[in-house]
């Protein structure tokens, strides 16, 4: 089997599916994680104020994308997946046609895909259609949490002329206590038994995203507790078709 997980950001597929990927690669299956928003901000423009604020809070200067790419390579190596980093910048770095930032404040992260960015979904779709092998199993986020980049990723994936698998976006599914099986019949669910060793490697891989762990979970210990709680309610152990 050949799996391609579409990850809106550097950490999303590992956060949501790290244990499953460990088990898949252990069985000899090929797993690739394609990060959609893996590009660098436009060096010919100053960072939008919201992005600059995030960089300052993280204390990383202008090198956040380079840092996150390195974190992602480390994390994916821990679970046995190969990586492909797309060139689309994260939404916090993108601009609208009139030159204004797409994201001005945190509330903008959870809005629907902006009409001016609908062409991005088309461009992503065309790029993937030319690169994804026909025998590959493609896995997309459900966009739980409604982050704009997660919505964009799902929208682009659903335009592909092929079946899709879906995963529940963690930590959003856990934070909002969203249903993990979406009420689907068993025949549309692919379950993967994630053992204790795979769970530990999943947590270790998330810990490799050092720039994100404290921001998302408060601490590494908090991350490990939240991942285990998600896992105990069945999270990160199956994919499904819709």
């Amino acid at each position: 089997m050949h799996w391609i997980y579409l990850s809106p950001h550097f950490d999303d597929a590992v956060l949501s599916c790290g244990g499953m990927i460990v088990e898949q690669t252990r069985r000899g299956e090929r797993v690739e994680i394609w990060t959609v928003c893996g590009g660098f901000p436009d060096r010919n423009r100053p960072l939008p104020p919201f992005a600059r604020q995030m960089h300052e809070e993280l204390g990383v200067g202008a090198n956040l994308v380079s840092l996150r790419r390195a974190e992602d390579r480390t994390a994916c190596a821990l679970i046995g997946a190969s990586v492909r980093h797309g060139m689309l910048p994260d939404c916090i770095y993108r601009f609208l046609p009139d030159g204004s930032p797409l994201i001005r404040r945190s509330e903008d992260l959870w809005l629907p895909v902006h009409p001016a960015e609908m062409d991005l979904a088309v461009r992503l779709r065309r790029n993937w259609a030319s690169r994804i092998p026909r025998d590959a199993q493609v896995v997309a986020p459900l966009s739980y949490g409604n982050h704009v980049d997660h919505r964009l990723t799902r929208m682009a994936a659903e335009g592909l002329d092929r079946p899709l698998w879906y995963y529940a976006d963690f930590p959003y599914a856990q934070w909002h206590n969203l249903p993990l099986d979406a009420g689907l019949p068993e025949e549309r669910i692919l379950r993967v038994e994630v053992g204790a060793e795979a769970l530990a490697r999943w947590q270790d891989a998330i810990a490799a995203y050092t720039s994100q762990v404290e921001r998302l979970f408060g601490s590494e210990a908090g991350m490990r507790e939240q991942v285990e709680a998600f896992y105990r309610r069945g999270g990160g152990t199956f994919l499904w078709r819709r």
Side-chain angles (χ1 to χ4, degrees), residues 2 36 57 85 120 145 150 153 176 191 202 217 219 222 235:
H2 179 190
V36 179
E57 290 175 357
H85 294 151
L120 288 180
H150 290 235
T153 300
H176 303 299
R191 298 192 183 276
W202 178 11
F217 303 103
S219 66

Side-chain angles (χ1 to χ4, degrees), residues 173-180 228-235 238:
Q174 186 70 6
W175 288 348
H176 303 299
N177 196 33
L178 297 171
L180 299 180
E228 182 155 0
F230 180 59
Y231 167 76
R232 294 301 174 195
R233 59 184 284 247
F238 59 88

Side-chain angles (χ1 to χ4, degrees), residues 65-82:
V65 174
S66 294
L67 171 62
R68 296 205 66 191
R69 283 184 169 214
E71 291 173 346
D72 191 50
R73 287 190 288 269
T74 299
C76 291
L78 285 169
I79 60 174
S82 62

Side-chain angles (χ1 to χ4, degrees), residues 7-13 35-37 68 72 90-91 147 149-150:
S7 185
H9 306 110
F10 294 108
D11 51 6
D12 289 309
T35 298
V36 179
C37 300
R68 296 205 66 191
D72 191 50
D90 188 293
C91 64
H147 189 289
D149 285 335
H150 290 235

Side-chain angles (χ1 to χ4, degrees), residues 152-171:
L152 179 67
T153 300
R154 177 174 175 176
M155 179 185 298
E158 290 183 337
L160 294 169
D161 182 24
R162 61 187 307 142
L164 293 175
W165 294 99
Y166 291 89
Y167 62 84
D169 316 54
F170 177 78

Side-chain angles (χ1 to χ4, degrees), residues 51-188:
R52 187 167 61 249
Q53 177 186 335
M54 288 194 66
H55 281 226
E56 290 171 355
E57 290 175 357
L58 292 170
V60 294
N63 298 316
L64 180 58
V65 174
S66 294
L67 171 62
R68 296 205 66 191
R69 283 184 169 214
E71 291 173 346
D72 191 50
R73 287 190 288 269
T74 299
C76 291
L78 285 169
I79 60 174
S82 62
V83 300
R84 179 176 293 190
H85 294 151
M87 300 307 295
L88 177 68
D90 188 293
C91 64
I92 66 171
Y93 302 127
R94 299 201 298 270
F95 292 87
L96 295 171
D98 64 3
S100 62
L102 175 66
I103 306 298
R104 298 169 181 264
R105 55 192 183 278
S106 59
E107 292 83 358
D108 295 341
L109 294 168
W110 321 111
L111 295 175
V113 175
H114 194 283
E117 291 209 317
M118 291 298 180
D119 69 310
L120 288 180
V122 175
R123 285 157 51 193
L124 287 169
R125 183 183 311 142
R126 288 174 177 166
N127 179 271
W128 296 341
S130 67
R131 293 173 181 268
I132 297 175
R134 291 307 303 178
D135 63 346
Q137 303 290 317
V138 180
V139 190
L142 271 175
S143 66
Y144 275 176
N146 292 326
H147 189 289
V148 62
D149 285 335
H150 290 235
R151 294 187 187 201
L152 179 67
T153 300
R154 177 174 175 176
M155 179 185 298
E158 290 183 337
L160 294 169
D161 182 24
R162 61 187 307 142
L164 293 175
W165 294 99
Y166 291 89
Y167 62 84
D169 316 54
F170 177 78
Y172 303 115
Q174 186 70 6
W175 288 348
H176 303 299
N177 196 33
L178 297 171
L180 299 180
D181 63 4
L184 293 174
E186 191 67 24
E187 61 268 21
R188 295 173 67 184

